CSV table of all heavy atoms in Angstrom, one decimal:
chain,number,residue,atom,x,y,z
A,264,SER,N,-61.0,-103.2,13.2
A,264,SER,CA,-62.3,-102.7,12.8
A,264,SER,C,-62.9,-103.4,11.6
A,264,SER,O,-64.1,-103.3,11.3
A,264,SER,CB,-62.1,-101.2,12.5
A,264,SER,OG,-61.4,-100.9,11.3
A,265,MET,N,-62.0,-104.0,10.8
A,265,MET,CA,-62.5,-104.7,9.6
A,265,MET,C,-63.5,-105.8,9.9
A,265,MET,O,-64.2,-106.3,9.1
A,265,MET,CB,-61.2,-105.3,8.9
A,265,MET,CG,-61.5,-105.8,7.5
A,265,MET,SD,-59.9,-106.2,6.7
A,265,MET,CE,-60.5,-107.2,5.3
A,266,ALA,N,-63.5,-106.2,11.2
A,266,ALA,CA,-64.6,-107.2,11.6
A,266,ALA,C,-66.0,-106.7,11.4
A,266,ALA,O,-66.9,-107.4,11.4
A,266,ALA,CB,-64.3,-107.6,13.1
A,267,ASN,N,-66.1,-105.3,11.3
A,267,ASN,CA,-67.4,-104.7,11.1
A,267,ASN,C,-67.8,-104.8,9.6
A,267,ASN,O,-69.0,-104.5,9.3
A,267,ASN,CB,-67.4,-103.2,11.4
A,267,ASN,CG,-67.1,-103.0,12.9
A,267,ASN,OD1,-67.5,-103.8,13.7
A,267,ASN,ND2,-66.4,-102.0,13.3
A,268,CYS,N,-67.0,-105.2,8.7
A,268,CYS,CA,-67.3,-105.4,7.3
A,268,CYS,C,-68.0,-106.7,7.0
A,268,CYS,O,-67.5,-107.6,6.4
A,268,CYS,CB,-66.0,-105.3,6.4
A,268,CYS,SG,-65.1,-103.7,6.6
A,269,THR,N,-69.2,-106.8,7.6
A,269,THR,CA,-69.9,-108.1,7.6
A,269,THR,C,-70.6,-108.4,6.3
A,269,THR,O,-71.2,-109.5,6.2
A,269,THR,CB,-71.0,-108.1,8.8
A,269,THR,OG1,-71.8,-106.9,8.6
A,269,THR,CG2,-70.3,-108.0,10.1
A,270,ASN,N,-70.5,-107.5,5.3
A,270,ASN,CA,-71.0,-107.9,4.0
A,270,ASN,C,-70.0,-108.4,3.0
A,270,ASN,O,-70.3,-108.7,1.9
A,270,ASN,CB,-71.7,-106.6,3.4
A,270,ASN,CG,-73.1,-106.3,4.0
A,270,ASN,OD1,-74.0,-107.2,3.9
A,270,ASN,ND2,-73.3,-105.2,4.5
A,271,LEU,N,-68.8,-108.5,3.5
A,271,LEU,CA,-67.7,-109.1,2.7
A,271,LEU,C,-68.0,-110.5,2.2
A,271,LEU,O,-68.3,-111.4,3.0
A,271,LEU,CB,-66.3,-109.0,3.4
A,271,LEU,CG,-65.6,-107.7,3.3
A,271,LEU,CD1,-64.4,-107.8,4.3
A,271,LEU,CD2,-65.1,-107.4,1.9
A,272,GLU,N,-67.9,-110.7,0.9
A,272,GLU,CA,-68.1,-112.0,0.3
A,272,GLU,C,-66.9,-112.6,-0.3
A,272,GLU,O,-66.7,-113.8,-0.2
A,272,GLU,CB,-69.2,-111.9,-0.8
A,272,GLU,CG,-70.6,-111.5,-0.2
A,272,GLU,CD,-71.6,-111.2,-1.3
A,272,GLU,OE1,-71.3,-111.6,-2.5
A,272,GLU,OE2,-72.7,-110.7,-1.0
A,273,LEU,N,-66.0,-111.8,-0.9
A,273,LEU,CA,-64.8,-112.3,-1.5
A,273,LEU,C,-63.6,-111.4,-1.0
A,273,LEU,O,-63.7,-110.2,-1.0
A,273,LEU,CB,-64.9,-112.2,-3.0
A,273,LEU,CG,-63.7,-112.7,-3.8
A,273,LEU,CD1,-64.2,-113.3,-5.1
A,273,LEU,CD2,-62.6,-111.6,-4.1
A,274,VAL,N,-62.6,-112.1,-0.4
A,274,VAL,CA,-61.4,-111.4,0.1
A,274,VAL,C,-60.1,-112.1,-0.4
A,274,VAL,O,-60.0,-113.3,-0.3
A,274,VAL,CB,-61.4,-111.4,1.6
A,274,VAL,CG1,-60.1,-110.7,2.1
A,274,VAL,CG2,-62.6,-110.7,2.2
A,275,ARG,N,-59.3,-111.3,-1.0
A,275,ARG,CA,-58.0,-111.8,-1.6
A,275,ARG,C,-56.8,-111.2,-0.7
A,275,ARG,O,-56.7,-110.0,-0.7
A,275,ARG,CB,-57.8,-111.5,-3.0
A,275,ARG,CG,-58.9,-112.1,-3.9
A,275,ARG,CD,-58.6,-113.6,-4.1
A,275,ARG,NE,-59.5,-114.2,-5.0
A,275,ARG,CZ,-60.4,-115.2,-4.7
A,275,ARG,NH1,-60.5,-115.5,-3.5
A,275,ARG,NH2,-61.1,-115.8,-5.7
A,276,LEU,N,-56.1,-112.1,0.0
A,276,LEU,CA,-55.0,-111.6,0.9
A,276,LEU,C,-53.7,-112.3,0.6
A,276,LEU,O,-52.7,-112.1,1.3
A,276,LEU,CB,-55.4,-111.9,2.3
A,276,LEU,CG,-56.6,-111.2,2.9
A,276,LEU,CD1,-57.0,-111.8,4.2
A,276,LEU,CD2,-56.3,-109.7,3.1
A,277,SER,N,-53.6,-113.0,-0.5
A,277,SER,CA,-52.4,-113.8,-0.9
A,277,SER,C,-51.2,-112.8,-1.1
A,277,SER,O,-51.4,-111.7,-1.5
A,277,SER,CB,-52.7,-114.6,-2.1
A,277,SER,OG,-53.7,-115.6,-1.8
A,278,ALA,N,-50.0,-113.4,-1.0
A,278,ALA,CA,-48.8,-112.7,-1.3
A,278,ALA,C,-48.7,-111.3,-0.5
A,278,ALA,O,-48.4,-110.3,-1.1
A,278,ALA,CB,-48.7,-112.4,-2.8
A,279,ASN,N,-48.9,-111.4,0.8
A,279,ASN,CA,-48.7,-110.3,1.7
A,279,ASN,C,-47.7,-110.7,2.8
A,279,ASN,O,-46.9,-111.7,2.6
A,279,ASN,CB,-50.0,-109.8,2.3
A,279,ASN,CG,-50.7,-108.8,1.4
A,279,ASN,OD1,-50.3,-107.7,1.3
A,279,ASN,ND2,-51.7,-109.3,0.7
A,280,ASN,N,-47.6,-110.0,3.9
A,280,ASN,CA,-46.7,-110.3,5.0
A,280,ASN,C,-47.5,-110.6,6.3
A,280,ASN,O,-46.9,-110.4,7.4
A,280,ASN,CB,-45.7,-109.2,5.2
A,280,ASN,CG,-44.7,-109.0,4.0
A,280,ASN,OD1,-44.4,-110.0,3.3
A,280,ASN,ND2,-44.3,-107.8,3.8
A,281,LEU,N,-48.7,-111.1,6.2
A,281,LEU,CA,-49.5,-111.4,7.3
A,281,LEU,C,-48.8,-112.5,8.2
A,281,LEU,O,-48.3,-113.5,7.6
A,281,LEU,CB,-50.9,-111.8,6.9
A,281,LEU,CG,-51.7,-110.8,6.2
A,281,LEU,CD1,-53.0,-111.4,5.7
A,281,LEU,CD2,-52.0,-109.6,7.0
A,282,THR,N,-48.8,-112.4,9.5
A,282,THR,CA,-48.2,-113.3,10.4
A,282,THR,C,-49.2,-114.3,10.9
A,282,THR,O,-48.8,-115.3,11.5
A,282,THR,CB,-47.5,-112.6,11.5
A,282,THR,OG1,-48.5,-111.8,12.2
A,282,THR,CG2,-46.4,-111.7,11.0
A,283,LYS,N,-50.5,-114.1,10.7
A,283,LYS,CA,-51.5,-115.0,11.2
A,283,LYS,C,-52.8,-114.7,10.5
A,283,LYS,O,-53.0,-113.7,9.8
A,283,LYS,CB,-51.7,-114.8,12.7
A,283,LYS,CG,-52.2,-113.4,13.1
A,283,LYS,CD,-52.4,-113.3,14.6
A,283,LYS,CE,-53.0,-111.9,14.9
A,283,LYS,NZ,-53.4,-111.7,16.3
A,284,LEU,N,-53.8,-115.6,10.8
A,284,LEU,CA,-55.2,-115.4,10.4
A,284,LEU,C,-56.0,-114.9,11.6
A,284,LEU,O,-56.0,-115.6,12.6
A,284,LEU,CB,-55.8,-116.7,9.8
A,284,LEU,CG,-55.6,-117.1,8.4
A,284,LEU,CD1,-56.4,-118.3,8.0
A,284,LEU,CD2,-56.0,-115.9,7.4
A,285,ASP,N,-56.6,-113.8,11.5
A,285,ASP,CA,-57.4,-113.3,12.6
A,285,ASP,C,-58.7,-114.1,12.7
A,285,ASP,O,-59.3,-114.4,11.7
A,285,ASP,CB,-57.8,-111.8,12.3
A,285,ASP,CG,-56.5,-110.9,12.4
A,285,ASP,OD1,-55.9,-110.9,13.5
A,285,ASP,OD2,-56.2,-110.3,11.4
A,286,GLY,N,-59.1,-114.4,13.9
A,286,GLY,CA,-60.3,-115.2,14.2
A,286,GLY,C,-61.5,-114.5,13.6
A,286,GLY,O,-62.4,-115.2,13.0
A,287,TRP,N,-61.6,-113.2,13.7
A,287,TRP,CA,-62.8,-112.5,13.2
A,287,TRP,C,-63.0,-112.6,11.7
A,287,TRP,O,-64.1,-112.6,11.2
A,287,TRP,CB,-62.8,-111.0,13.6
A,287,TRP,CG,-61.6,-110.2,13.1
A,287,TRP,CD1,-60.5,-109.9,13.8
A,287,TRP,CD2,-61.4,-109.7,11.8
A,287,TRP,NE1,-59.6,-109.2,13.0
A,287,TRP,CE2,-60.1,-109.1,11.8
A,287,TRP,CE3,-62.1,-109.8,10.6
A,287,TRP,CZ2,-59.6,-108.5,10.7
A,287,TRP,CZ3,-61.6,-109.2,9.5
A,287,TRP,CH2,-60.3,-108.5,9.5
A,288,LEU,N,-61.9,-112.8,11.0
A,288,LEU,CA,-61.9,-112.9,9.5
A,288,LEU,C,-62.7,-114.2,9.2
A,288,LEU,O,-63.5,-114.2,8.2
A,288,LEU,CB,-60.5,-113.0,8.9
A,288,LEU,CG,-60.4,-113.2,7.4
A,288,LEU,CD1,-61.0,-112.1,6.6
A,288,LEU,CD2,-59.0,-113.4,7.0
A,289,LEU,N,-62.5,-115.3,9.9
A,289,LEU,CA,-63.1,-116.6,9.6
A,289,LEU,C,-64.5,-116.6,10.1
A,289,LEU,O,-65.2,-117.6,9.9
A,289,LEU,CB,-62.3,-117.7,10.2
A,289,LEU,CG,-60.8,-117.7,9.8
A,289,LEU,CD1,-60.1,-118.9,10.4
A,289,LEU,CD2,-60.7,-117.7,8.3
A,290,GLU,N,-65.0,-115.5,10.8
A,290,GLU,CA,-66.3,-115.5,11.3
A,290,GLU,C,-67.2,-114.6,10.5
A,290,GLU,O,-68.4,-114.4,10.9
A,290,GLU,CB,-66.3,-115.0,12.8
A,290,GLU,CG,-65.6,-116.0,13.8
A,290,GLU,CD,-66.4,-117.2,14.1
A,290,GLU,OE1,-67.6,-117.2,13.7
A,290,GLU,OE2,-65.8,-118.2,14.5
A,291,LEU,N,-66.7,-113.9,9.5
A,291,LEU,CA,-67.5,-113.0,8.7
A,291,LEU,C,-68.7,-113.8,8.1
A,291,LEU,O,-68.5,-114.8,7.4
A,291,LEU,CB,-66.7,-112.4,7.6
A,291,LEU,CG,-65.6,-111.3,8.1
A,291,LEU,CD1,-64.8,-110.9,6.9
A,291,LEU,CD2,-66.3,-110.2,8.8
């Protein structure tokens, strides 16, 4: 659902346990 956050300008995701980069994230 985070793909709906289309006003996001800055996102910090470092130092987590993510297993991949979601395609929708790179399309915001």
